[in-house]
Amino acid sequence: MVKQIVHKLFSLSLALLVLISTVSLTVEKHYCGNRLIDVSIFTEGQKCGMEASEMEQEVITKKKCCKDIVEIVEGQDELQIKDFNDIETHLQWFVTSFIYSYEALYTSLPKQIIPHKDYSPPNLVYDIQLLDDVFLI
């Protein structure tokens, strides 16, 4: 039962790792002067509302006060699929022996039968060593 749960969690984590490594993102930032106004990931960022006055100011100063910065985070395009036979022979032996020995750690031993488990010794009526005055020195 535990082995199946661990297997499913491991498979899910590997699938998420492949998904995250292949996703591409576009991060768009809108600055008004030196202040960050909006950051958006998948959509176009909100403007600060100064586009109309910016056109008038651009005619006078020839410099815009607002700027948009677009950062593209590209994911991996090509995935390499390796087969067990592509690995060198000595590494194949190592991986096989490692898996075999690791799996042997968690196999349980057969239950041992103890024939005299419920046997209780007889009650001692007399302490014979004390009666015979025999002491170990």
Side-chain angles (χ1 to χ4, degrees), residues 65-83:
C65 71
C66 293
K67 61 182 174 182
D68 293 322
I69 297 176
V70 178
E71 295 177 6
I72 299 173
V73 180
E74 292 187 12
Q76 187 177 6
D77 291 338
E78 297 176 10
L79 295 177
Q80 296 178 354
I81 299 174
K82 295 276 186 176
D83 192 14

Side-chain angles (χ1 to χ4, degrees), residues 65-135:
C65 71
C66 293
K67 61 182 174 182
D68 293 322
I69 297 176
V70 178
E71 295 177 6
I72 299 173
V73 180
E74 292 187 12
Q76 187 177 6
D77 291 338
E78 297 176 10
L79 295 177
Q80 296 178 354
I81 299 174
K82 295 276 186 176
D83 192 14
F84 187 71
N85 295 328
D86 294 340
I87 303 174
E88 296 175 11
T89 308
H90 68 280
L91 288 176
Q92 286 179 359
W93 278 102
F94 174 75
V95 169
T96 306
S97 61
F98 179 77
I99 290 172
Y100 179 74
S101 63
Y102 189 75
E103 190 175 288
L105 287 174
Y106 295 105
T107 57
S108 62
L109 296 174
K111 195 168 191 175
Q112 294 180 352
I113 299 172
I114 303 172
H116 54 279
K117 180 176 73 170
D118 296 325
Y119 173 75
S120 61
N123 293 331
L124 291 177
V125 179
Y126 301 108
D127 191 2
I128 296 174
Q129 290 179 347
L130 187 60
L131 289 174
D132 293 336
D133 291 330
V134 178
F135 301 104

Side-chain angles (χ1 to χ4, degrees), residues 34-47:
N34 288 333
R35 293 187 60 193
L36 178 64
I37 301 297
D38 188 33
V39 176
S40 63
I41 295 179
F42 292 110
T43 61
E44 186 176 328
Q46 275 187 335
K47 306 295 181 191

